[in-house]
Amino acid sequence: MNVPALSVILPNYNHAKFLPRSLTAIVRQSVQPLEILVIDDTSTVDSVEVIKSFAKLHPVVQLHHNERNRGVVPTINRGIDLARGDYLAFAAADDEVAPGFFEKSLTLLAKHPEAALSATITEFHEAHTGVNWLWGAGIVESPTYLSPARMVGCERKGKFYIPPNSVIFRTSALREVGNFIPELKFCCDWYAMYVAGFRHGICFVPEPLAIFHVQANSYYHKIRRDKAEYRTVLELLLERLHQPENRAALGFVREGGSLFIYGIPMLKLLLSRRAYRHLITPTFLRKNLSHSAKLFLKNHSPAFLVNFYLKLSGNRKSTATGSPQNLHG
């Protein structure tokens, strides 16, 4: 089967030490993308030289420079504007993809062109704590298309999560939801994935084909530590979800309790706003409180105990290269 054309977008800002790992994993894929657009956000010379060296060896790598520092979300959106592929993958300099990621994802998407996106299981590696876990296992047993209704069914059972670094978007579906909205900051990918997914359905490949290296000073963690800014972003997310064009998607979000991922801050915000209290359902409360408790224990327990628990509960691989066990998100 011929697979559709894929554009890979990789924003970069002074990631010289991470780029070789990320770019090597991309250019070694069994199915090559149409283009790898590296958008440099005014980095120092070291990063640029690394990118240029890859471009010399792999013509598919294209370097584009921002004329000024724009920040990560506008930089990604510039890549979307430049992209020519029917599908879009978003790489991060400090993450990587496993062999077969493009081939398996695009093959499934070719069979289900109605899907907004495809995702896979992701391995999360938290370098600063030594905790490693899987997100997305247990959703399905084989490569599958999930309709919006089936997505909600998995959500209600606590078996659904879209790992953002494993996503390949249908370009038209992403543009339909406004690409990545800068004002939503760390929520912009969640909004795009879930709104597009609840409009068109998604594909899911139940294999760990993406690796996310969690950094202590990541974009998300910096904002998460600022409680006022975190709340402001969540308020903007709720405003977007309640716009008329998102009425159907919001119904699925409510039914599946999808906002659980934002923990206690989201619960407090929903309680404080009468217009949003309809989102506090038994499913949301169960998932939110369970997720918040797990996060608290992870953040306040020794790494060896957390990893031991994750292994017992099936949230880790059985071996470094083995197959994942079930994960109930």
Side-chain angles (χ1 to χ4, degrees):
M1 175 184 291
N2 293 327
V3 297
L6 174 70
S7 295
V8 178
I9 297 169
L10 195 163
N12 174 68
Y13 180 68
N14 290 335
H15 286 143
K17 67 178 181 178
F18 298 123
L19 282 167
R21 179 180 64 191
S22 179
L23 284 171
T24 297
I26 293 170
V27 299
R28 288 182 176 175
Q29 289 290 301
S30 54
V31 167
Q32 284 293 290
L34 172 68
E35 56 195 357
I36 301 170
L37 305 174
V38 184
I39 316 298
D40 186 72
D41 199 20
T42 66
S43 297
T44 58
V45 68
D46 289 348
S47 281
V48 173
E49 288 305 312
V50 170
I51 300 164
K52 287 181 176 179
S53 68
F54 268 86
K56 287 179 181 178
L57 295 173
H58 307 279
V60 72
V61 177
Q62 302 173 21
L63 173 60
H64 297 269
H65 297 276
N66 285 347
E67 73 285 355
R68 57 181 175 79
N69 185 270
R70 295 185 177 189
V72 62
V73 179
T75 296
I76 292 172
N77 282 335
R78 185 186 175 208
I80 296 172
D81 291 338
L82 292 169
R84 296 177 292 136
D86 298 317
Y87 288 84
L88 301 171
F90 298 92
D94 52 350
D95 296 332
E96 56 190 305
V97 290
F101 172 64
F102 292 162
E103 181 177 0
K104 294 176 180 181
S105 300
L106 291 171
T107 297
L108 186 58
L109 285 165
K111 294 177 181 177
H112 299 281
E114 71 275 27
L117 58 92
S118 177
T120 79
I121 296 170
T122 287
E123 299 177 43
F124 277 61
H125 297 277
E126 200 168 72
H128 57 288
T129 65
V131 175
N132 305 312
W133 69 98
L134 294 172
W135 267 114
I139 295 176
V140 292
E141 296 297 323
S142 60
T144 303
Y145 167 75
L146 297 169
S147 67
R150 193 172 172 193
M151 289 167 62
V152 170
C154 292
E155 281 263 38
R156 291 176 63 85
K157 295 176 183 177
K159 294 184 178 181
F160 190 78
Y161 177 74
I162 305 175
N165 68 312
S166 74
V167 165
I168 293 179
F169 274 100
R170 174 160 51 87
T171 306
S172 59
L174 180 58
R175 288 176 175 159
E176 182 185 282
V177 299
N179 296 339
F180 294 114
I181 299 169
E183 292 78 10
L184 294 183
K185 297 185 178 180
F186 62 88
C187 293
C188 69
D189 52 357
W190 186 97
Y191 175 85
M193 293 185 304
Y194 278 75
V195 171
F198 281 136
R199 288 181 182 179
H200 303 287
I202 73 167
C203 290
F204 199 89
V205 180
E207 296 183 48
L209 297 175
I211 302 168
F212 189 93
H213 295 279
V214 183
Q215 308 295 333
N217 291 313
S218 68
Y219 179 64
Y220 167 77
H221 282 93
K222 288 178 181 178
I223 296 177
R224 184 67 178 86
R225 287 191 285 266
D226 186 331
K227 294 182 179 180
E229 184 174 11
Y230 191 79
R231 182 183 173 93
T232 296
V233 175
L234 295 185
E235 289 175 341
L236 291 172
L237 173 64
L238 290 171
E239 288 177 11
R240 283 277 176 177
L241 288 172
H242 282 79
Q243 290 182 355
E245 65 269 22
N246 290 330
R247 180 172 298 174
L250 180 63
F252 289 126
V253 167
R254 179 184 182 278
E255 188 178 350
S258 306
L259 292 168
F260 82 93
I261 197 70
Y262 296 112
I264 297 301
M266 176 59 79
L267 176 58
K268 290 180 177 179
L269 178 56
L270 296 180
L271 287 169
S272 70
R273 300 293 180 87
R274 183 181 298 275
Y276 299 149
R277 289 178 190 167
H278 69 101
L279 294 170
I280 305 176
T281 63
T283 299
F284 168 80
L285 282 173
R286 171 177 55 82
K287 294 173 66 176
N288 181 281
L289 295 175
S290 174
H291 179 68
S292 299
K294 290 176 182 177
L295 283 180
F296 179 84
L297 291 173
K298 182 182 81 68
N299 293 332
H300 294 84
S301 302
F304 77 93
L305 285 179
V306 176
N307 283 325
F308 181 69
Y309 164 76
L310 292 171
K311 183 177 180 179
L312 290 178
S313 62
N315 291 7
R316 293 190 69 181
K317 281 187 174 182
S318 55
T319 66
T321 57
S323 299
Q325 301 170 38
N326 287 335
L327 169 66
H328 294 181

